[in-house]
Amino acid sequence: MEKMLRGVGVSHGVAIGEVRHMGTAVLEPSAEQVPGQDTEHVTARARQAVDAVAADLLARGQLAGGEAQAVLEAQALMAQDPELMADVARRVAGGSTAERAVYDAFGAYRELLAAAGDYLAGRVADLDDVRNRIVARLLGVPMPGVPDSDEPFVLVARDLAPADTALLDPALVLGFVTEEGGPTSHSAILARALGVPAVVALPGVGELAEGTVVAVDGSTGEVTVNPSAEQRAALARVAEERRAAVAASAGPGATADGHKVPLLANIGGPADVAAAVEAGAEGVGLFRTEFLFLDDSERAPSLETQTATYRQVLEAFPEGRVVVRVLDAGADKPLSFLTPGEEPNPALGVRGLRTLLDHPEVLDTQLKALAAAAEGLPVYLEVMAPMVADRADAKAFADACRAAGLRAKFGAMVEIPSAALRARSVLQEVEFLSLGTNDLAQYTFAADRQVGAVSRLQDPWQPALLDLVALSAEAAKAEGKSCGVCGEAAADPLLACVLTGLGVTSLSMSASAIPYVRSALAEHTLAQCERAAAAARAAESAEEARTAARAVLSGE
Ligand code: PEP
Ligand code: MG
């Protein structure tokens, strides 16, 4: 019997194939005690396994590059936490086997994390993944993870660990569907970076029998179970039409009547530049520099290291535009030497610009590195601060940029509703705005972006979010300044048209989404986009907004 399920589409394309489930079984080693064992030898065995897993994660990271690399490196660091290793040694001394000691030590740490608040709880999945890998190695059994198969398949999982998504083989994994995760979760961002169709936040999909045929539409979020032959043919046709339209699109972003909307790429470092250039990005709209800071848990990278990395990116876009975001540490991206450890609500605590204003030397070094990197290049450098709340924040950032001798445009990210509500005031201090719709949704709806259960509220089609986008864009227009979008909202082709209709002046997204957005814009005039935007804002829910905009844009 065919059946339709609906989750959140996070990465474009259609995949039709058999379901294979991710091996998530938790390996629980025997709790039997071994009195009188050679504790040194057993501890050394555990350490070797930990080191091997950390090395494996680092190697996967190197293969994957970019943002995936940073996530995997953070996992490797987690594996080698000295306190965890000390706990393992204590447990071995108490008579545990190496595998049981690792299992229990990670279990104790897991409980601490889970109890410590939402952002740490969000890292529990990463910790479990590391533990499973170490225990599997010690037991000599296959690693949990992507199933082995010679035939291409649709991967179904509760959630995907970064280590798995980073190395998904697009030739074998046709697409993936997860029960958890939201549209802005790191798994979703990585899926887009890979260009694999993906749907997240689909509870119950884990119950589909192995081998069931499903059709996954990563654009609409629809998963058809046991599609009929006609349905398969229709879906394949739609996918083919979309692919052809996308392949035919080229050149700068513009509506059908020539209203220009530069299409820029979101990148995590130099490794993402090639894909951005290949997709025809007109520059970089968001360079997430925090990935550079994850390498060392003790200190910021040196001025020289930062300068060299920034220069590599700037050189790739001669005469193009590169928007660099200064370090956005804290909340879901904690840095131990900067982020306070004891906050009850880290997402509402010292993060983003607040962290930098507390550590002006870190901000100053980063700004000086950017100034040095841009020296002598014809690039249009723009530098922006994350988590700007008000005019005082914007002024503090602009002052720091001037003090560092940076010749660039200074901007503010709009991620906090207060900045959107008082955008004109913020714009007295900076030259542009960039809407970070992932965090703007999180703070507008009080909905943690890492929690799948509230993904309904993380939907960027929510009319309240569209209102805040409109307010910001109108303020920028009144001030004669620009207002782009660099959150994941820009990667949805239909929503990109609506954002354009709301007055947004550029769109920045994962490179893989650029051709889709370019082709959608090219099919509609600015007036159509404006009508779609008005219809979406008049709606009462995200779903209605989407339907209303689609109706306007398809001329229904
Ligand atoms: C955002 O919040 O929309 C954004 C672009 O920043 P990040 O996803 O890195 O927090
Ligand atoms: Mg953000």
Side-chain angles (χ1 to χ4, degrees), residues 128-146:
D128 285 350
D129 178 61
V130 172
R131 180 198 56 190
N132 288 344
R133 284 169 195 277
I134 301 170
V135 171
R137 177 170 284 271
L138 283 164
L139 291 174
V141 300
M143 292 290 164
V146 179

Side-chain angles (χ1 to χ4, degrees), residues 414 420-421 435 437 440-441 444-445 457-474 483 485 489-490 492 494-504 529-550:
V414 177
L421 292 167
L435 286 145
T437 47
L440 189 57
T444 301
F445 298 101
L457 296 167
Q458 272 289 332
D459 189 332
W461 279 94
Q462 285 279 359
L465 188 75
L466 300 180
D467 284 350
L468 292 175
V469 171
L471 267 181
S472 311
E474 281 157 14
C483 175
V485 170
D492 172 341
L494 197 61
L495 187 49
C497 294
V498 166
L499 296 171
T500 301
L502 291 173
V504 155
C529 293
E530 285 169 349
R531 280 201 300 280
R537 280 183 77 189
E540 293 293 338
S541 69
E543 199 45 52
E544 264 183 37
R546 198 180 271 117
T547 308
R550 189 176 286 136

Side-chain angles (χ1 to χ4, degrees), residues 366-384:
Q366 187 171 25
L367 295 172
K368 287 198 169 116
L370 283 166
E375 194 69 47
L377 294 181
V379 67
Y380 297 100
L381 176 62
E382 302 189 5
V383 180
M384 64 184 181

Side-chain angles (χ1 to χ4, degrees), residues 295-387:
D295 281 349
D296 187 337
S297 60
E298 304 290 321
R299 64 190 68 83
S302 68
L303 180 84
E304 294 70 32
T305 304
Q306 292 193 50
T307 305
T309 307
Y310 302 148
R311 187 145 181 120
Q312 265 180 284
V313 172
L314 298 183
E315 280 174 345
F317 294 95
E319 318 213 357
R321 189 164 142 205
V322 176
V323 186
V324 180
R325 173 175 73 188
V326 292
L327 177 64
D328 182 19
D332 58 335
K333 296 169 259 189
L335 283 179
S336 57
F337 65 101
L338 293 178
T339 309
E342 303 291 319
E343 294 182 321
N345 286 304
L348 303 181
V350 181
R351 63 161 294 202
L353 179 64
R354 302 166 186 183
T355 308
L356 293 173
L357 296 180
D358 279 357
H359 296 271
E361 69 295 346
V362 175
L363 177 58
D364 189 55
T365 305
Q366 187 171 25
L367 295 172
K368 287 198 169 116
L370 283 166
E375 194 69 47
L377 294 181
V379 67
Y380 297 100
L381 176 62
E382 302 189 5
V383 180
M384 64 184 181
M387 297 289 293

Side-chain angles (χ1 to χ4, degrees), residues 191-234:
R192 276 189 288 270
L194 274 171
V196 179
V199 171
V200 301
L202 186 51
V205 72
E207 281 146 38
L208 290 178
E210 188 90 353
T212 310
V213 175
V214 289
V216 180
D217 188 333
S219 302
T220 61
E222 289 169 358
V223 175
T224 313
V225 182
N226 294 323
S228 62
E230 299 86 76
Q231 255 178 327
R232 285 193 200 203

Side-chain angles (χ1 to χ4, degrees), residues 34 60 74 91 160 246 253 256 266 271 276 329 379 388 404 413 418 466 475 481 518 553:
V34 190
R60 283 165 180 259
R91 290 172 193 273
L160 286 171
V246 164
N266 290 356
V379 67
V388 169
M413 286 188 76
S418 58
L466 300 180
K481 296 182 175 174
R518 183 192 290 121
L553 292 174

Side-chain angles (χ1 to χ4, degrees), residues 189 286 288 290 325 328 333 351 413 415 435-440 449 486-488:
I189 293 173
L286 169 64
R288 291 182 161 103
E290 51 279 7
R325 173 175 73 188
D328 182 19
K333 296 169 259 189
R351 63 161 294 202
M413 286 188 76
E415 306 189 276
L435 286 145
T437 47
N438 309 335
D439 276 313
L440 189 57
R449 61 192 278 191
C486 66
E488 295 303 314

